[in-house]
Amino acid sequence: MPKGGSRGYEGFFHICLVSDDIEKLAEDIAASGGKRRSDIWNTWENKPYYLIYCEDPFGNIIELYSRSTELMYGNKD
């Protein structure tokens, strides 16, 4: 790479965790120096599939799911 050149950001975008109680975990993250970045969203009407975005004290984004990815987004027909 030429001197002074930049390849841009080369790290991860965010991590995603599955939790039985995303509301409690979001509160714990905020109480530990992080913060909530979004409200809780329901990804599938009439199903208990929720997510929330948080941020750790270092600015890394944490996405919290109430269910696994395949349940959150798959087979909606």
Side-chain angles (χ1 to χ4, degrees):
M1 177 168 39
K3 184 176 181 177
S6 173
R7 291 192 236 172
Y9 182 73
E10 294 184 358
F12 63 89
F13 168 67
H14 73 283
I15 62 171
C16 183
L17 304 172
V18 177
S19 173
D20 291 334
D21 190 346
I22 63 172
E23 180 70 35
K24 170 82 169 78
L25 186 52
E27 289 172 9
D28 291 347
I29 290 169
S32 299
K35 62 183 175 182
R36 291 175 65 148
R37 293 188 53 125
S38 76
D39 293 327
I40 293 180
W41 301 338
N42 181 280
T43 62
W44 194 344
E45 190 175 344
N46 300 318
K47 297 278 187 178
Y49 300 165
Y50 300 97
L51 69 84
I52 185 172
Y53 283 94
C54 297
E55 185 176 315
D56 73 11
F58 307 101
N60 299 301
I61 305 301
I62 304 168
E63 184 177 14
L64 304 176
Y65 279 2
S66 63
R67 302 287 189 275
S68 65
T69 301
E70 65 270 13
L71 289 175
M72 296 285 283
Y73 298 107
N75 299 319
K76 288 191 174 187
D77 293 332

Coordinates of all heavy atoms in Angstrom, one line a residue:
M1 N 0.9 -1.2 0.0 CA 0.0 0.0 0.0 C 0.9 1.2 0.0 O 1.9 1.3 0.8 CB -0.9 0.0 1.2 CG -1.8 1.2 1.3 SD -3.1 1.1 2.5 CE -2.4 0.2 3.9
P2 N 0.6 2.2 -0.8 CA 1.4 3.4 -0.8 C 1.4 4.2 0.5 O 0.4 4.1 1.3 CB 0.7 4.3 -1.9 CG -0.2 3.4 -2.6 CD -0.5 2.3 -1.7
K3 N 2.4 4.9 0.8 CA 2.5 5.6 2.0 C 1.4 6.6 2.1 O 1.1 7.3 1.2 CB 3.9 6.4 2.1 CG 4.0 7.1 3.4 CD 5.4 7.7 3.5 CE 5.5 8.4 4.8 NZ 6.9 9.0 5.0
G4 N 0.7 6.6 3.3 CA -0.4 7.5 3.5 C -1.7 7.0 2.9 O -2.8 7.6 3.1
G5 N -1.7 5.9 2.2 CA -2.9 5.3 1.7 C -3.7 4.6 2.8 O -3.2 4.2 3.9
S6 N -4.9 4.4 2.5 CA -5.8 3.7 3.5 C -6.7 2.7 2.9 O -7.2 2.9 1.8 CB -6.7 4.7 4.2 OG -7.6 4.1 5.1
R7 N -6.8 1.5 3.5 CA -7.7 0.5 3.0 C -9.1 0.7 3.6 O -10.0 -0.1 3.3 CB -7.2 -0.9 3.3 CG -5.9 -1.2 2.6 CD -5.7 -2.7 2.8 NE -4.3 -2.9 3.3 CZ -3.9 -4.0 3.7 NH1 -4.6 -5.1 3.7 NH2 -2.6 -4.1 4.2
G8 N -9.2 1.6 4.5 CA -10.5 1.8 5.2 C -10.6 0.8 6.4 O -9.7 0.2 6.8
Y9 N -11.8 0.8 6.9 CA -12.0 0.0 8.1 C -11.9 -1.5 7.8 O -12.5 -2.0 6.8 CB -13.4 0.3 8.7 CG -13.6 -0.5 10.0 CD1 -13.0 -0.1 11.1 CD2 -14.5 -1.6 10.0 CE1 -13.2 -0.8 12.3 CE2 -14.8 -2.3 11.1 CZ -14.1 -1.9 12.3 OH -14.4 -2.6 13.5
E10 N -11.1 -2.3 8.6 CA -10.9 -3.7 8.3 C -11.3 -4.6 9.4 O -10.9 -5.7 9.5 CB -9.5 -3.9 7.9 CG -9.1 -3.3 6.6 CD -7.7 -3.6 6.2 OE1 -7.0 -4.3 6.9 OE2 -7.3 -3.1 5.2
G11 N -12.1 -4.1 10.4 CA -12.6 -4.9 11.5 C -14.0 -5.4 11.3 O -14.6 -5.3 10.2
F12 N -14.6 -5.9 12.4 CA -16.0 -6.3 12.3 C -16.9 -5.2 12.4 O -16.6 -4.1 12.9 CB -16.3 -7.4 13.3 CG -16.2 -6.9 14.8 CD1 -17.3 -6.3 15.4 CD2 -15.0 -6.9 15.5 CE1 -17.2 -5.9 16.7 CE2 -14.9 -6.5 16.8 CZ -16.0 -5.9 17.4
F13 N -18.2 -5.4 11.8 CA -19.2 -4.3 11.9 C -19.9 -4.4 13.3 O -20.0 -3.4 13.9 CB -20.2 -4.6 10.8 CG -21.5 -3.7 11.0 CD1 -21.4 -2.3 10.9 CD2 -22.7 -4.3 11.3 CE1 -22.5 -1.5 11.1 CE2 -23.8 -3.5 11.5 CZ -23.7 -2.1 11.4
H14 N -20.3 -5.6 13.7 CA -20.9 -5.7 15.0 C -20.9 -7.2 15.4 O -20.7 -8.1 14.5 CB -22.3 -5.1 15.1 CG -23.3 -5.9 14.3 ND1 -23.4 -5.9 13.0 CD2 -24.3 -6.7 14.8 CE1 -24.5 -6.6 12.6 NE2 -25.0 -7.2 13.7
I15 N -21.2 -7.5 16.6 CA -21.4 -8.9 17.0 C -22.9 -9.0 17.4 O -23.6 -8.0 17.7 CB -20.6 -9.3 18.2 CG1 -20.9 -8.5 19.5 CG2 -19.1 -9.2 17.9 CD1 -20.2 -9.0 20.7
C16 N -23.4 -10.2 17.3 CA -24.8 -10.5 17.6 C -24.8 -11.6 18.6 O -24.2 -12.7 18.5 CB -25.6 -10.9 16.4 SG -27.3 -11.2 16.7
L17 N -25.6 -11.4 19.7 CA -25.8 -12.4 20.7 C -27.2 -12.8 20.9 O -28.1 -12.0 20.7 CB -25.3 -11.9 22.1 CG -23.8 -11.4 22.1 CD1 -23.5 -10.7 23.4 CD2 -22.8 -12.5 21.9
V18 N -27.5 -14.0 21.2 CA -28.9 -14.5 21.5 C -29.0 -14.6 23.0 O -28.2 -15.1 23.7 CB -29.1 -15.9 20.9 CG1 -30.5 -16.3 21.2 CG2 -29.0 -15.8 19.4
S19 N -30.1 -14.0 23.5 CA -30.3 -14.0 25.0 C -31.8 -14.3 25.3 O -32.7 -13.9 24.5 CB -30.0 -12.6 25.6 OG -30.3 -12.5 26.9
D20 N -32.0 -15.0 26.4 CA -33.4 -15.2 26.8 C -34.1 -13.9 27.3 O -35.3 -13.8 27.2 CB -33.5 -16.2 28.0 CG -33.1 -17.6 27.5 OD1 -33.2 -17.9 26.4 OD2 -32.6 -18.4 28.4
D21 N -33.3 -13.0 27.7 CA -33.9 -11.7 28.2 C -33.1 -10.5 27.7 O -32.2 -10.0 28.4 CB -33.9 -11.7 29.8 CG -34.7 -10.6 30.4 OD1 -35.0 -9.6 29.7 OD2 -35.0 -10.6 31.6
I22 N -33.4 -10.1 26.5 CA -32.6 -9.0 25.9 C -32.8 -7.7 26.6 O -31.9 -6.9 26.6 CB -32.8 -8.9 24.3 CG1 -34.3 -8.5 24.0 CG2 -32.4 -10.2 23.6 CD1 -34.5 -8.2 22.5
E23 N -33.9 -7.5 27.1 CA -34.2 -6.2 27.9 C -33.2 -6.1 29.1 O -32.6 -5.1 29.3 CB -35.6 -6.2 28.4 CG -36.0 -4.9 29.1 CD -36.0 -3.6 28.3 OE1 -36.4 -3.7 27.1 OE2 -35.6 -2.6 28.8
K24 N -33.1 -7.2 29.8 CA -32.2 -7.3 31.0 C -30.8 -7.1 30.6 O -30.0 -6.4 31.2 CB -32.4 -8.6 31.8 CG -31.4 -8.8 32.9 CD -31.7 -8.1 34.1 CE -30.9 -8.6 35.3 NZ -29.6 -8.0 35.4
L25 N -30.4 -7.8 29.5 CA -29.0 -7.7 29.0 C -28.7 -6.3 28.5 O -27.6 -5.8 28.8 CB -28.8 -8.8 27.9 CG -27.3 -8.9 27.4 CD1 -26.3 -9.1 28.6 CD2 -27.3 -10.0 26.4
A26 N -29.6 -5.7 27.9 CA -29.4 -4.3 27.4 C -29.2 -3.4 28.6 O -28.4 -2.5 28.6 CB -30.6 -3.8 26.6
E27 N -30.0 -3.6 29.7 CA -29.8 -2.8 30.9 C -28.5 -3.1 31.5 O -27.8 -2.1 32.0 CB -30.9 -3.2 31.9 CG -32.3 -2.7 31.5 CD -33.4 -3.2 32.4 OE1 -33.1 -3.8 33.5 OE2 -34.6 -3.0 32.1
D28 N -28.0 -4.3 31.6 CA -26.7 -4.7 32.1 C -25.6 -4.0 31.3 O -24.6 -3.5 31.9 CB -26.5 -6.2 32.1 CG -27.4 -6.9 33.2 OD1 -28.0 -6.2 34.0 OD2 -27.5 -8.1 33.1
I29 N -25.7 -4.0 30.0 CA -24.7 -3.3 29.1 C -24.6 -1.8 29.5 O -23.6 -1.3 29.6 CB -25.0 -3.6 27.7 CG1 -24.8 -5.0 27.3 CG2 -24.2 -2.7 26.8 CD1 -25.3 -5.5 25.9
A30 N -25.8 -1.2 29.6 CA -25.8 0.2 29.9 C -25.3 0.5 31.3 O -24.5 1.5 31.5 CB -27.2 0.8 29.8
A31 N -25.6 -0.3 32.2 CA -25.1 -0.2 33.6 C -23.6 -0.4 33.7 O -22.9 0.1 34.7 CB -25.8 -1.1 34.6
S32 N -23.0 -1.0 32.7 CA -21.6 -1.3 32.7 C -20.7 -0.3 31.9 O -19.6 -0.6 31.6 CB -21.3 -2.8 32.2 OG -22.0 -3.7 33.0
G33 N -21.4 0.8 31.5 CA -20.6 1.8 30.8 C -21.0 1.8 29.3 O -20.5 2.7 28.6
G34 N -21.8 0.9 28.8 CA -22.2 0.9 27.4 C -23.5 1.7 27.3 O -23.8 2.5 28.2
K35 N -24.2 1.5 26.2 CA -25.5 2.2 26.1 C -26.4 1.4 25.1 O -26.0 0.6 24.3 CB -25.3 3.6 25.6 CG -24.7 3.8 24.2 CD -24.5 5.3 23.9 CE -23.7 5.4 22.6 NZ -23.4 6.8 22.3
R36 N -27.7 1.7 25.2 CA -28.7 1.2 24.3 C -28.7 2.2 23.1 O -28.7 3.4 23.2 CB -30.1 1.2 24.9 CG -30.2 0.2 26.0 CD -31.5 0.3 26.6 NE -32.6 0.0 25.7 CZ -33.7 -0.6 26.1 NH1 -34.0 -0.9 27.3 NH2 -34.7 -0.8 25.2
R37 N -28.7 1.6 21.9 CA -28.7 2.4 20.7 C -30.0 2.4 19.9 O -30.2 3.2 19.0 CB -27.6 1.9 19.7 CG -26.2 2.2 20.2 CD -25.2 1.9 19.2 NE -25.4 2.6 18.0 CZ -24.6 3.4 17.4 NH1 -23.4 3.6 17.9 NH2 -24.9 4.0 16.3
S38 N -30.9 1.5 20.3 CA -32.2 1.5 19.7 C -33.3 1.0 20.7 O -33.0 0.5 21.8 CB -32.2 0.5 18.5 OG -32.2 -0.9 18.9
D39 N -34.5 1.2 20.3 CA -35.6 0.6 21.0 C -35.6 -0.9 20.7 O -34.9 -1.4 19.7 CB -37.0 1.2 20.5 CG -37.1 2.6 21.0 OD1 -36.5 3.0 22.0 OD2 -37.7 3.4 20.2
I40 N -36.5 -1.7 21.3 CA -36.6 -3.1 21.0 C -37.6 -3.2 19.8 O -38.6 -2.5 19.7 CB -37.2 -3.9 22.2 CG1 -36.2 -3.9 23.3 CG2 -37.6 -5.3 21.8 CD1 -36.7 -4.7 24.5
W41 N -37.2 -4.0 18.8 CA -38.0 -4.2 17.6 C -38.5 -5.6 17.5 O -37.8 -6.5 17.9 CB -37.1 -3.9 16.3 CG -36.5 -2.6 16.2 CD1 -36.9 -1.4 16.8 CD2 -35.3 -2.3 15.4 NE1 -36.0 -0.4 16.4 CE2 -35.1 -0.9 15.5 CE3 -34.5 -3.1 14.6 CZ2 -34.0 -0.3 14.9 CZ3 -33.5 -2.4 13.9 CH2 -33.2 -1.1 14.1
N42 N -39.7 -5.7 17.1 CA -40.3 -7.0 16.8 C -40.1 -7.3 15.3 O -40.5 -6.5 14.5 CB -41.8 -7.0 17.1 CG -42.4 -8.4 16.9 OD1 -42.7 -8.7 15.8 ND2 -42.6 -9.1 17.9
T43 N -39.4 -8.4 15.0 CA -39.1 -8.6 13.6 C -40.1 -9.5 12.8 O -40.0 -9.7 11.6 CB -37.7 -9.4 13.4 OG1 -37.8 -10.6 14.1 CG2 -36.6 -8.5 14.0
W44 N -41.1 -10.0 13.6 CA -42.1 -10.8 12.9 C -43.4 -10.6 13.7 O -43.5 -11.1 14.9 CB -41.6 -12.3 13.0 CG -42.4 -13.2 12.1 CD1 -43.6 -13.0 11.5 CD2 -42.0 -14.5 11.8 NE1 -44.0 -14.1 10.8 CE2 -43.0 -15.1 10.9 CE3 -40.9 -15.3 12.0 CZ2 -42.9 -16.3 10.4 CZ3 -40.8 -16.6 11.5 CH2 -41.8 -17.1 10.7
E45 N -44.4 -10.0 13.1 CA -45.7 -9.8 13.7 C -46.3 -11.0 14.3 O -46.3 -12.1 13.7 CB -46.6 -9.1 12.7 CG -47.9 -8.6 13.3 CD -48.7 -7.9 12.3 OE1 -48.2 -7.5 11.2 OE2 -49.9 -7.7 12.6
N46 N -46.8 -10.9 15.5 CA -47.5 -12.0 16.2 C -46.5 -13.1 16.7 O -47.0 -14.2 17.0 CB -48.6 -12.6 15.4 CG -49.7 -11.6 15.1 OD1 -50.0 -10.8 16.0 ND2 -50.2 -11.6 13.9
K47 N -45.2 -12.9 16.7 CA -44.2 -13.8 17.2 C -43.3 -13.1 18.2 O -43.1 -11.9 18.1 CB -43.3 -14.4 16.0 CG -44.1 -15.2 15.0 CD -44.3 -16.6 15.4 CE -44.9 -17.4 14.3 NZ -45.0 -18.8 14.6
P48 N -42.8 -13.8 19.2 CA -42.0 -13.2 20.2 C -40.5 -13.1 19.7 O -39.6 -13.6 20.4 CB -42.1 -14.1 21.4 CG -42.3 -15.5 20.8 CD -43.1 -15.2 19.5
Y49 N -40.3 -12.5 18.6 CA -38.9 -12.4 18.0 C -38.5 -10.9 18.0 O -39.0 -10.1 17.2 CB -38.9 -12.9 16.6 CG -39.3 -14.4 16.4 CD1 -39.6 -14.9 15.1 CD2 -39.4 -15.2 17.5 CE1 -40.0 -16.2 15.0 CE2 -39.8 -16.6 17.3 CZ -40.1 -17.0 16.1 OH -40.4 -18.3 15.9
Y50 N -37.6 -10.6 19.0 CA -37.2 -9.2 19.2 C -35.7 -9.1 19.0 O -34.9 -10.0 19.2 CB -37.6 -8.8 20.6 CG -39.1 -9.0 20.9 CD1 -39.6 -10.1 21.5 CD2 -40.0 -7.9 20.4 CE1 -41.0 -10.2 21.7 CE2 -41.3 -8.1 20.6 CZ -41.8 -9.2 21.3 OH -43.2 -9.3 21.4
L51 N -35.3 -7.8 18.8 CA -33.9 -7.4 18.7 C -33.7 -6.0 19.2 O -34.7 -5.2 19.3 CB -33.3 -7.6 17.3 CG -33.8 -6.6 16.2 CD1 -32.9 -5.3 16.3 CD2 -33.6 -7.3 14.9
I52 N -32.5 -5.8 19.7 CA -32.2 -4.4 20.2 C -30.7 -4.2 19.9 O -29.9 -5.2 19.9 CB -32.5 -4.2 21.7 CG1 -32.2 -2.8 22.1 CG2 -31.7 -5.2 22.5 CD1 -32.7 -2.5 23.5
Y53 N -30.3 -3.0 19.5 CA -28.9 -2.7 19.3 C -28.4 -1.9 20.6 O -29.0 -1.1 21.1 CB -28.7 -1.8 18.1 CG -28.8 -2.5 16.8 CD1 -30.0 -2.6 16.1 CD2 -27.7 -3.1 16.3 CE1 -30.1 -3.3 14.9 CE2 -27.8 -3.8 15.1 CZ -29.0 -3.9 14.4 OH -29.1 -4.6 13.2
C54 N -27.2 -2.3 21.0 CA -26.5 -1.7 22.1 C -25.1 -1.4 21.7 O -24.7 -1.7 20.5 CB -26.4 -2.6 23.3 SG -28.0 -3.1 24.0
E55 N -24.3 -0.7 22.6 CA -22.9 -0.4 22.3 C -22.1 -0.6 23.6 O -22.6 -0.3 24.7 CB -22.9 1.1 21.9 CG -21.5 1.6 21.5 CD -21.5 3.0 21.1 OE1 -22.5 3.4 20.3 OE2 -20.7 3.8 21.5
D56 N -21.0 -1.3 23.4 CA -20.2 -1.5 24.6 C -19.4 -0.2 25.0 O -19.5 0.7 24.2 CB -19.3 -2.7 24.4 CG -18.1 -2.5 23.5 OD1 -17.8 -1.4 23.1 OD2 -17.4 -3.5 23.2
P57 N -18.7 -0.2 26.1 CA -18.0 1.0 26.5 C -16.9 1.5 25.5 O -16.5 2.6 25.6 CB -17.4 0.7 27.9 CG -18.2 -0.5 28.4 CD -18.6 -1.2 27.2
F58 N -16.5 0.6 24.6 CA -15.5 1.0 23.6 C -16.0 1.4 22.3 O -15.3 1.6 21.3 CB -14.5 -0.2 23.5 CG -14.0 -0.7 24.8 CD1 -14.5 -1.8 25.4 CD2 -13.0 0.0 25.5 CE1 -14.0 -2.2 26.6 CE2 -12.5 -0.4 26.7 CZ -13.0 -1.5 27.3
G59 N -17.4 1.4 22.2 CA -18.0 1.8 20.9 C -18.3 0.7 20.0 O -18.8 0.9 18.9
N60 N -18.1 -0.6 20.4 CA -18.5 -1.7 19.5 C -20.0 -2.0 19.6 O -20.6 -1.9 20.6 CB -17.7 -3.0 19.9 CG -16.2 -2.8 19.8 OD1 -15.7 -2.5 18.8 ND2 -15.5 -2.9 21.0
I61 N -20.6 -2.2 18.4 CA -22.0 -2.4 18.3 C -22.3 -3.9 18.7 O -21.6 -4.8 18.3 CB -22.5 -2.1 16.9 CG1 -22.2 -0.7 16.5 CG2 -24.0 -2.4 16.8 CD1 -22.7 0.3 17.4
I62 N -23.3 -4.1 19.6 CA -23.8 -5.4 20.0 C -25.3 -5.5 19.6 O -26.1 -4.7 20.1 CB -23.6 -5.6 21.5 CG1 -22.2 -5.4 21.9 CG2 -24.1 -7.0 21.9 CD1 -22.0 -5.3 23.4
E63 N -25.6 -6.4 18.8 CA -27.0 -6.7 18.5 C -27.5 -7.9 19.3 O -26.8 -8.9 19.4 CB -27.1 -7.0 17.0 CG -28.5 -7.2 16.4 CD -28.5 -7.5 14.9 OE1 -27.5 -7.8 14.3 OE2 -29.6 -7.4 14.4
L64 N -28.6 -7.7 20.0 CA -29.2 -8.7 20.8 C -30.4 -9.3 20.2 O -31.3 -8.6 19.8 CB -29.5 -8.2 22.2 CG -28.3 -7.5 23.0 CD1 -28.8 -6.9 24.3 CD2 -27.2 -8.5 23.2
Y65 N -30.5 -10.6 20.1 CA -31.6 -11.3 19.5 C -32.3 -12.1 20.6 O -31.7 -12.7 21.5 CB -31.2 -12.3 18.4 CG -31.0 -11.8 17.1 CD1 -31.1 -10.4 16.8 CD2 -30.6 -12.7 16.0 CE1 -30.8 -10.0 15.5 CE2 -30.4 -12.2 14.8 CZ -30.5 -10.9 14.5 OH -30.3 -10.4 13.2
S66 N -33.6 -12.2 20.6 CA -34.4 -13.1 21.5 C -34.5 -14.5 21.0 O -34.8 -15.4 21.8 CB -35.8 -12.5 21.7 OG -36.5 -12.6 20.5
R67 N -34.2 -14.7 19.7 CA -34.2 -16.1 19.1 C -33.0 -16.2 18.1 O -32.4 -15.2 17.8 CB -35.5 -16.3 18.4 CG -36.8 -16.2 19.2 CD -36.9 -17.4 20.1 NE -38.2 -17.4 20.8 CZ -38.6 -16.7 21.9 NH1 -37.7 -15.9 22.5 NH2 -39.7 -16.9 22.4
S68 N -32.8 -17.4 17.6 CA -31.7 -17.6 16.7 C -32.0 -16.9 15.4 O -33.2 -16.6 15.1 CB -31.5 -19.1 16.4 OG -32.7 -19.6 15.8
T69 N -31.0 -16.7 14.6 CA -31.2 -16.0 13.3 C -32.2 -16.7 12.4 O -33.0 -16.0 11.7 CB -29.8 -15.9 12.6 OG1 -28.9 -15.1 13.4 CG2 -29.9 -15.1 11.2
E70 N -32.1 -18.0 12.3 CA -33.0 -18.7 11.4 C -34.5 -18.5 11.8 O -35.4 -18.5 11.0 CB -32.7 -20.2 11.2 CG -32.8 -21.0 12.4 CD -31.5 -21.1 13.3 OE1 -30.6 -20.3 13.1 OE2 -31.5 -22.0 14.2
L71 N -34.7 -18.4 13.1 CA -36.1 -18.2 13.6 C -36.5 -16.7 13.3 O -37.6 -16.4 13.0 CB -36.3 -18.5 15.0 CG -36.3 -20.0 15.4 CD1 -36.3 -20.2 16.9 CD2 -37.4 -20.7 14.7
M72 N -35.5 -15.8 13.5 CA -35.8 -14.4 13.4 C -36.2 -14.0 11.9 O -37.0 -13.1 11.7 CB -34.6 -13.5 13.8 CG -34.2 -13.7 15.3 SD -35.3 -12.8 16.4 CE -34.7 -11.1 16.1
Y73 N -35.6 -14.6 11.0 CA -35.7 -14.2 9.6 C -36.2 -15.2 8.6 O -36.6 -14.9 7.5 CB -34.4 -13.6 9.1 CG -34.0 -12.4 9.9 CD1 -33.0 -12.4 10.7 CD2 -34.7 -11.2 9.7 CE1 -32.6 -11.3 11.5 CE2 -34.4 -10.1 10.5 CZ -33.3 -10.1 11.3 OH -33.0 -9.0 12.1
G74 N -36.2 -16.5 8.9 CA -36.5 -17.6 8.0 C -37.9 -18.0 8.0 O -38.7 -17.8 9.0
N75 N -38.4 -18.5 6.9 CA -39.7 -19.2 6.8 C -40.8 -18.3 7.2 O -41.7 -18.8 8.0 CB -39.7 -20.5 7.5 CG -38.7 -21.5 7.0 OD1 -38.5 -21.6 5.8 ND2 -38.0 -22.2 7.9
K76 N -40.9 -17.1 6.7 CA -42.0 -16.2 7.1 C -43.3 -16.5 6.3 O -44.3 -15.8 6.5 CB -41.6 -14.8 6.9 CG -40.6 -14.4 8.0 CD -40.4 -12.9 8.0 CE -39.6 -12.5 9.2 NZ -39.5 -11.1 9.3
D77 N -43.2 -17.4 5.3 CA -44.4 -17.6 4.5 C -45.5 -18.4 5.2 O -45.5 -19.3 5.8 CB -44.0 -18.3 3.2 CG -43.2 -17.4 2.3 OD1 -43.4 -16.2 2.4 OD2 -42.4 -17.9 1.5

